[in-house]
């Protein structure tokens, strides 16, 4: 795996750690509400759902970090988790916000492409 692919995988993993923090811990706070454009009332009503979503993002980050820890043997693991992120990003972009396509799906698609070169 190239150094550039490794860096992009690390970036996607860190993004998903940030998504975990936003969704699990900052959802009802000003930072989380601003990031997702939520009213205080809606954020409070949906905080359990958001925490669940954040947990899933944490699993994606863990899988990507695991792939990096494995080194060259982690290529298949990286491709699997990057593919999961791409699918989740496309779905989120189609159902929640187009912004998700650029923030989540595109970086993962770039990382996946780099692992295939």
């Amino acid at each position: 795996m190239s150094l550039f692919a490794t860096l992009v995988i690390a970036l996607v993993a860190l993004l998903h750690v940030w998504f975990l923090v936003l969704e699990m811990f900052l959802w009802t706070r000003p930072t989380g509400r601003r990031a997702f454009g939520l009213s205080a009332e809606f954020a409070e009503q949906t905080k359990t759902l958001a925490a669940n979503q954040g947990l899933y993002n944490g699993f994606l980050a863990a899988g990507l970090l695991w792939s990096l820890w494995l080194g060259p043997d982690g290529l298949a693991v990286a491709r699997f988790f990057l593919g999961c992120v791409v699918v989740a990003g496309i779905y989120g972009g189609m159902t929640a916000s187009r912004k998700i396509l650029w923030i989540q799906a595109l970086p993962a698609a770039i990382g996946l492409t780099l692992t295939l070169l």
Side-chain angles (χ1 to χ4, degrees):
M1 196 161 28
S2 74
L3 175 61
F4 196 54
T6 300
L7 291 174
V8 173
I9 292 167
L11 171 68
V12 173
L14 291 175
L15 280 171
H16 282 77
V17 168
W18 176 237
F19 300 156
L20 174 146
V21 170
L22 277 173
E23 294 166 349
M24 293 189 80
F25 306 110
L26 300 177
W27 187 258
T28 59
R29 302 199 188 284
T31 302
R33 291 195 330 262
R34 191 172 38 255
F36 296 100
L38 307 173
S39 69
E41 181 180 55
F42 184 78
E44 192 61 39
Q45 291 170 349
T46 59
K47 68 182 179 182
T48 302
L49 294 171
N52 187 44
Q53 186 171 294
L55 188 61
Y56 281 92
N57 278 310
F59 291 141
L60 292 171
L64 291 168
L65 293 171
W66 177 41
S67 77
L68 294 176
W69 181 75
L70 291 171
D73 293 333
L75 183 60
V77 175
R79 287 177 178 161
F80 172 78
F81 281 98
L82 288 167
C84 290
V85 172
V86 170
V87 170
I90 291 170
Y91 183 78
M94 293 172 58
T95 60
S97 169
R98 292 243 184 238
K99 191 167 66 169
I100 296 171
L101 288 170
W102 309 113
I103 294 172
Q104 185 176 8
L106 182 62
I110 291 169
L112 184 58
T113 301
L114 290 170
T115 67
L116 296 168
L117 298 178

